[in-house]
Amino acid sequence: EGWASTSVAAIVREAGVAQGTFYLYFKSKEQLLVHLRGGVLAEYIGAFESGARGPGMADARLVAGMNEIYKAVRRNADLVRVFRQATTGDEAELVWLDGRDTFAAPLARLLAEGADDGSLVIDDPKMAAHLVLALFDDLLY
């Protein structure tokens, strides 16, 4: 029914828990949304780091890491749709910028490794990381 039309009562009914239990952990459905966003972001970062870990040149590890993120995004597609419904344009921009800053750090480290091992030509790994994430977001959504 969409984020705006979904009540806490509907959420707890679907989850199979009591409404009082919900309020032990969250003050509102908005606070639940923030918690879920954090979990999804952590999953994306973990997927990237898992895929990019190991031996080999950084460019190949970058591809493997991005493939793992893609799989994580597909697993969370319904939830990501809710995130986009539940936020205004300004809120969505702030959430995206915060997540991108958090996610850019491990990506920038790998890009710097690629510059060091010669598999990537990059002047500024941090800027390149933000560009990669922006392009990835555009391709997905």
Side-chain angles (χ1 to χ4, degrees), residues 62-83:
L62 173 63
V63 171
M66 296 307 282
N67 280 329
E68 291 305 312
I69 293 171
Y70 176 73
K71 292 175 190 174
V73 169
R74 298 236 5 215
R75 283 191 301 273
N76 290 288
D78 290 339
L79 192 52
V80 170
R81 231 176 267 111
V82 171
F83 295 160

Side-chain angles (χ1 to χ4, degrees), residues 7-102:
S7 65
V8 169
I11 293 169
V12 298
R13 185 173 47 252
E14 184 68 23
V17 299
Q19 197 156 339
T21 302
F22 176 91
Y23 287 110
L24 285 174
Y25 294 94
F26 307 104
K27 292 180 182 177
S28 64
K29 71 178 189 175
E30 289 75 16
Q31 191 178 40
L32 169 64
L33 190 70
V34 170
H35 174 77
L36 292 172
R37 280 186 186 131
V40 169
L41 178 62
E43 183 179 346
Y44 289 176
I45 292 170
F48 173 77
E49 289 178 333
S50 174
R53 189 176 300 127
M57 301 292 276
D59 59 346
R61 293 176 23 234
L62 173 63
V63 171
M66 296 307 282
N67 280 329
E68 291 305 312
I69 293 171
Y70 176 73
K71 292 175 190 174
V73 169
R74 298 236 5 215
R75 283 191 301 273
N76 290 288
D78 290 339
L79 192 52
V80 170
R81 231 176 267 111
V82 171
F83 295 160
R84 289 181 180 270
Q85 286 177 359
T87 53
T88 66
D90 291 341
E91 289 170 328
E93 180 73 13
L94 290 174
V95 167
W96 167 241
L97 290 174
D98 183 51
R100 187 172 61 190
D101 286 345
T102 301

Side-chain angles (χ1 to χ4, degrees), residues 119-133:
S119 64
L120 299 169
V121 178
I122 296 172
D123 294 329
D124 184 343
K126 286 183 181 182
M127 179 65 76
H130 283 277
L131 177 61
V132 167
L133 291 173

